[in-house]
């Protein structure tokens, strides 16, 4: 299996950042990637350039690193455009503390909103009320304190906020790309 087909997760990308001398979380850049793909796409070369700029390097250190960065972009685009609505933000998983996961969600949201803000007011005029409200909610997530204490209640709240961010991303993609993803209409009869 090539790297381009391999599932990219938070830890894999974070390790790749470390290989490039960066202690940054990939969550912020993943938020930017998602919003860029949802708004108007970002071609592979421009994506590599953006990753390198964030990492403070001129180019990926080797071909497998470049392939993994490109696989990250491809995976995100495929998930956003897929009919199963299976997009998941690249966030720290259960192996991380609740505070680290909250910080990851906050960073993802900040990156996502930065791209939205850079787009200006023109695209917003065509957006639905639901999307505008979802983006306003993301502003609250971006401003939330990330020092959550470990508790079942906080765990549930964080899950709900992450799901809200995921759905806002999918809503943005579907409004910017009418007819994509091609989801099945629940009202249409099933043919056998």
């Amino acid at each position: 299996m090539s790297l381009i087909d391999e599932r990219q997760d938070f830890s894999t990308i974070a390790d790749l950042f470390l290989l490039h001398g960066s202690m940054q979380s990939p969550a912020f850049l993943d938020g930017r990637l998602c919003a860029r793909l949802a708004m108007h796409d970002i071609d592979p070369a421009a994506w590599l350039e953006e990753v390198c700029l964030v990492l403070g390097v001129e180019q990926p250190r080797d071909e497998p690193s470049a392939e993994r960065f490109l696989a990250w972009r491809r995976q995100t685009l495929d998930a956003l455009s897929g009919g199963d609505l299976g997009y998941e933000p690249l966030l720290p998983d259960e192996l991380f503390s609740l505070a680290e996961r909250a910080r990851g969600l906050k960073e993802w949201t900040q990156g996502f909103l930065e791209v939205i803000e850079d787009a200006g007011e023109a695209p917003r005029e065509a957006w639905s009320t639901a999307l505008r409200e979802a983006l306003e909610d993301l502003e609250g997530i971006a401003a939330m304190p990330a020092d959550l204490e470990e508790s079942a209640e906080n765990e549930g709240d964080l899950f709900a906020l992450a799901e809200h961010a995921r759905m806002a991303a999918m809503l943005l993609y579907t409004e910017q790309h009418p007819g994509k993803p091609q989801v099945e209409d629940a009202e249409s009869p099933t043919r056998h």
Side-chain angles (χ1 to χ4, degrees), residues 55-85:
L55 296 177
V57 297
E58 286 186 35
Q59 62 186 26
R61 62 179 296 198
D62 52 32
E63 193 170 325
S65 295
E67 283 182 29
R68 203 170 286 283
F69 288 135
L70 292 173
W72 177 15
R73 177 196 166 276
R74 171 55 48 202
Q75 173 181 297
T76 303
L77 181 59
D78 289 350
L80 284 168
S81 63
D84 63 351
L85 303 177

Side-chain angles (χ1 to χ4, degrees), residues 113 124 129-141 164:
L113 289 173
R124 294 173 194 241
T129 302
L131 177 56
R132 284 194 291 262
E133 289 172 358
L135 294 175
E136 285 175 20
D137 293 342
L138 289 185
E139 290 172 10
I141 294 172
H164 190 76

Side-chain angles (χ1 to χ4, degrees), residues 5-169:
D5 297 324
E6 208 174 288
R7 170 110 178 96
Q8 308 304 310
D9 62 16
F10 181 85
S11 294
T12 302
I13 300 299
D15 289 346
L16 195 54
F17 276 30
L18 283 173
L19 279 174
H20 287 81
S22 176
M23 297 286 290
Q24 291 186 60
S25 162
F28 179 81
L29 193 55
D30 188 67
R32 286 189 54 81
L33 171 63
C34 176
R36 296 271 310 262
L37 290 170
M39 292 288 295
H40 46 71
D41 200 0
I42 178 171
D43 68 63
W47 172 242
L48 274 182
E49 189 176 310
E50 185 165 341
V51 170
C52 290
L53 183 65
V54 167
L55 296 177
V57 297
E58 286 186 35
Q59 62 186 26
R61 62 179 296 198
D62 52 32
E63 193 170 325
S65 295
E67 283 182 29
R68 203 170 286 283
F69 288 135
L70 292 173
W72 177 15
R73 177 196 166 276
R74 171 55 48 202
Q75 173 181 297
T76 303
L77 181 59
D78 289 350
L80 284 168
S81 63
D84 63 351
L85 303 177
Y87 171 74
E88 293 288 335
L90 194 72
L91 300 171
D93 60 22
E94 301 79 36
L95 297 175
F96 293 84
S97 72
L98 200 59
E100 289 170 317
R101 289 184 282 161
R103 193 168 29 262
L105 177 59
K106 181 176 180 167
E107 291 170 355
W108 182 93
T109 305
Q110 290 168 337
F112 186 85
L113 289 173
E114 189 176 273
V115 171
I116 300 298
E117 193 168 303
D118 289 349
E121 290 297 316
R124 294 173 194 241
E125 293 171 12
W127 293 346
S128 69
T129 302
L131 177 56
R132 284 194 291 262
E133 289 172 358
L135 294 175
E136 285 175 20
D137 293 342
L138 289 185
E139 290 172 10
I141 294 172
M144 76 177 181
D147 54 346
L148 296 181
E149 292 181 22
E150 298 286 336
S151 75
E153 184 178 347
N154 283 345
E155 179 96 29
D157 290 347
L158 185 61
F159 176 81
L161 291 173
E163 182 63 12
H164 190 76
R166 183 182 87 79
M167 293 309 294

